[in-house]
């Protein structure tokens, strides 16, 4: 959709105009200009409007660090003011935060999203942004929506599909009906779900079901409904409404914000810790249990301290993820030994 993407340093308004003039003379008609956090201070909203209207320029604001001081907050406020005046059809927001499994960048994204909400700006987060230089490492927007819900400690997550919810059979079969309620840790609906992908994208109903189950287990209510139905969001949010949909009842217990984030970090795992039968049985108990070195029989991959790793059962199935307490070299040295600190502490361990 764009003829050119211009990634800049701290470029001045004069330099922007010079580059845009050169691009237009070369036949370019649509340009994306991306710049670090401070750039909106250097270019007024009126000048941005003029460039957009005259040249078809689209500006991308790039957020990289948390709101640590008054200067960062001031710049963020300027960005938000520009967004309101320019109109959302002209603005692209990019977090470019590197590894989302890294806690500082997770906090940066959380703060900026909350900052926008507090100032009346609705963020739209997309997994397959065609403008971003580096694509987010998620399989689809369903997975991303679960991560965002967990990161923002949302009260509810609504997942829209092209059917009314999860059916107890083939949705095309008149005898099938929508399953209206799914209780936590009681109902396994995977046997009912068709494996084909939705015509809307890569996320099929099985992906939606798994993500909804995980998010509900974290204490967040989830609804799967038909996005093709007019007014679906208004109807779902109206008190007393009875929209045909599938509601996942949230677990009565809630887990920590850190665990919620780790739960959705499997795609960023740098390695694997394969555990023995003793560790497998211990980790599945309801009591708080950390993964000790003695329970690890094999270490795969190369990782650093605080990286995300998968926890793999004796039969080779990934059963959880966690933030590892040492690098891969040290993990191999202590694997199988008694004593010592946990390789993954309970506070940073999420079991599926």
């Amino acid at each position: 959709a764009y003829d050119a993407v211009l990634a800049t340093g701290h470029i001045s308004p004069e330099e922007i105009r010079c580059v845009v003039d050169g691009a237009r003379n070369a036949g370019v008609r649509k340009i994306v200009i991306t710049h670090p956090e401070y750039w909106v201070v250097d270019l007024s909203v009126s000048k941005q409007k003029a460039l957009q209207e005259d040249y078809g320029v689209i500006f991308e604001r790039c957020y990289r660090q948390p709101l640590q001081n008054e200067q960062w907050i001031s710049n963020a406020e300027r960005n938000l003011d520009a967004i309101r005046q320019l109109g959302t059809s002209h603005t692209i927001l990019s977090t470019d935060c590197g590894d989302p499994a890294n806690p500082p960048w997770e906090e940066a994204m959380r703060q900026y999203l909350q900052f926008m909400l507090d100032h009346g700006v609705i963020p739209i987060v997309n997994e397959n942004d065609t403008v971003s230089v580096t694509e987010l490492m998620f399989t689809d927007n369903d997975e991303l929506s679960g991560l965002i819900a967990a990161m923002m400690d949302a009260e509810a997550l609504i997942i829209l599909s092209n059917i009314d919810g999860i059916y107890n059979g083939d949705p095309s079969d008149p005898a099938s009906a929508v399953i209206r309620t799914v209780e936590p840790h009681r109902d396994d609906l995977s046997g009912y779900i068709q494996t084909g992908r939705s015509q809307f994208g890569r996320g099929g109903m099985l992906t939606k079901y798994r993500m909804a189950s995980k998010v509900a287990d974290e204490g967040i209510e989830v609804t799967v409904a038909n996005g093709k139905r007019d007014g679906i969001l208004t109807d779902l949010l109206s008190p007393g409404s009875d929209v045909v949909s599938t509601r996942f009842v949230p677990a009565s217990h809630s887990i920590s914000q850190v665990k919620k984030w780790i739960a959705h970090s499997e795609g960023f795992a740098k390695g694997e810790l394969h555990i023995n039968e003793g560790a497998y049985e211990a980790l599945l108990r309801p009591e708080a249990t950390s993964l000790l070195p003695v329970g690890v029989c094999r270490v795969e991959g190369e990782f650093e301290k605080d990286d995300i790793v998968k926890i793999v059962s004796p039969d080779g199935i990934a059963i959880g993820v966690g933030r590892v307490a040492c690098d891969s070299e040290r993990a191999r040295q202590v694997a199988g030994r008694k004593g010592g600190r946990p390789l993954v502490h309970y506070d940073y361990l999420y079991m599926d």
Side-chain angles (χ1 to χ4, degrees):
Y2 308 105
D3 296 331
V5 176
L6 172 65
T8 72
H10 294 287
I11 193 170
S12 69
E14 291 75 20
E15 289 171 323
I16 288 178
R17 282 193 292 271
C18 180
V19 170
V20 170
D21 281 334
R24 191 170 78 159
N25 291 335
V28 173
R29 288 294 176 266
K30 293 182 180 180
I31 307 170
V32 176
I33 295 181
T34 178
H35 192 286
E37 302 84 354
Y38 292 110
W39 78 278
V40 77
V41 178
D42 303 325
L43 192 62
S44 68
V45 174
S46 61
K47 291 178 180 177
Q48 292 178 53
K49 278 187 174 181
L51 286 171
Q52 289 173 341
E53 292 170 359
D54 295 342
Y55 299 104
V57 173
I58 293 179
F59 294 94
E60 180 184 57
R61 289 154 178 78
C62 184
Y63 297 142
R64 293 185 179 176
Q65 296 187 22
L67 303 177
Q68 298 170 330
N69 52 48
E70 293 182 1
Q71 181 64 52
W72 285 103
I73 294 174
S74 174
N75 287 324
E77 288 176 342
R78 288 171 182 259
N79 273 334
L80 291 168
D81 182 59
I83 292 167
R84 282 192 291 267
Q85 295 188 50
L86 289 168
T88 55
S89 62
H90 297 294
T91 304
I92 297 171
L93 296 173
S94 175
T95 54
D96 192 20
C97 286
D99 186 350
N102 189 326
W105 300 126
E106 176 255 331
E107 180 62 14
M109 287 188 280
R110 188 195 66 77
Q111 286 191 27
Y112 276 117
L113 289 174
Q114 189 61 56
F115 196 83
M116 285 188 278
L117 290 171
D118 292 343
H119 286 74
V121 176
I122 299 177
I124 297 176
V125 186
N126 190 22
E127 184 269 340
N128 55 351
D129 181 4
T130 58
V131 177
S132 265
V133 176
T134 55
E135 184 181 18
L136 292 174
M137 293 178 290
F138 298 96
T139 57
D140 52 59
N141 276 313
D142 299 321
E143 184 179 347
L144 178 58
S145 70
L147 184 144
I148 296 295
M151 180 177 70
M152 301 304 296
D153 198 21
E155 294 181 10
L157 170 64
I158 298 173
I159 299 177
L160 299 180
S161 183
N162 55 354
I163 56 177
D164 290 332
I166 297 177
Y167 285 74
N168 60 2
D170 188 337
S172 63
D173 185 348
S176 298
V178 174
I179 298 171
R180 301 299 299 270
T181 303
V182 180
E183 297 289 343
H185 305 297
R186 295 181 187 175
D187 304 320
D188 182 5
L189 309 183
S190 57
Y192 293 128
I193 299 172
Q194 303 293 306
T195 57
R197 293 176 176 177
S198 164
Q199 64 183 21
F200 289 155
R202 290 182 285 175
M205 187 56 73
L206 187 58
T207 301
K208 290 175 172 60
Y209 165 67
R210 288 171 175 167
M211 183 52 56
S213 297
K214 177 181 286 189
V215 173
D217 187 48
E218 297 161 7
I220 299 173
E221 180 176 322
V222 183
T223 300
V224 179
N226 192 339
K228 299 177 69 175
R229 174 175 170 173
D230 292 340
I232 183 64
L233 290 178
T234 303
D235 291 343
L236 285 171
L237 297 175
S238 298
S241 66
D242 186 27
V243 180
V244 177
S245 59
T246 299
R247 174 178 175 262
F248 288 74
V249 179
S252 56
H253 67 278
S254 181
I255 62 177
S256 71
Q257 190 66 32
V258 172
K259 277 182 175 280
K260 286 181 180 179
W261 182 253
I262 290 175
H264 297 273
S265 299
E266 182 178 353
F268 306 102
K270 301 293 181 60
E272 298 179 353
L273 300 181
H274 291 250
I275 61 176
N276 56 33
E277 286 290 346
Y280 177 71
E281 293 176 3
L283 291 177
L284 294 183
R285 294 173 189 153
E287 299 85 5
T289 306
S290 299
L291 177 57
L292 301 175
V294 68
V296 176
C297 55
R298 189 168 82 253
V299 177
E300 292 189 1
E302 301 298 326
F303 48 83
E304 301 296 327
K305 181 180 181 293
D306 292 331
D307 277 345
I308 298 297
V309 295
K310 294 181 182 180
I311 312 301
V312 181
S313 68
D315 55 358
I317 299 174
I319 58 172
V321 288
R323 186 185 298 167
V324 69
C326 64
D327 60 28
S328 52
E329 181 179 358
R330 178 60 179 168
R332 290 187 176 93
Q333 291 174 353
V334 301
R337 296 183 182 179
K338 293 183 178 180
R341 296 181 177 180
L343 286 177
V344 180
H345 192 277
Y346 172 77
D347 290 343
Y348 307 105
L349 175 65
Y350 178 82
M351 301 299 295
D352 290 329

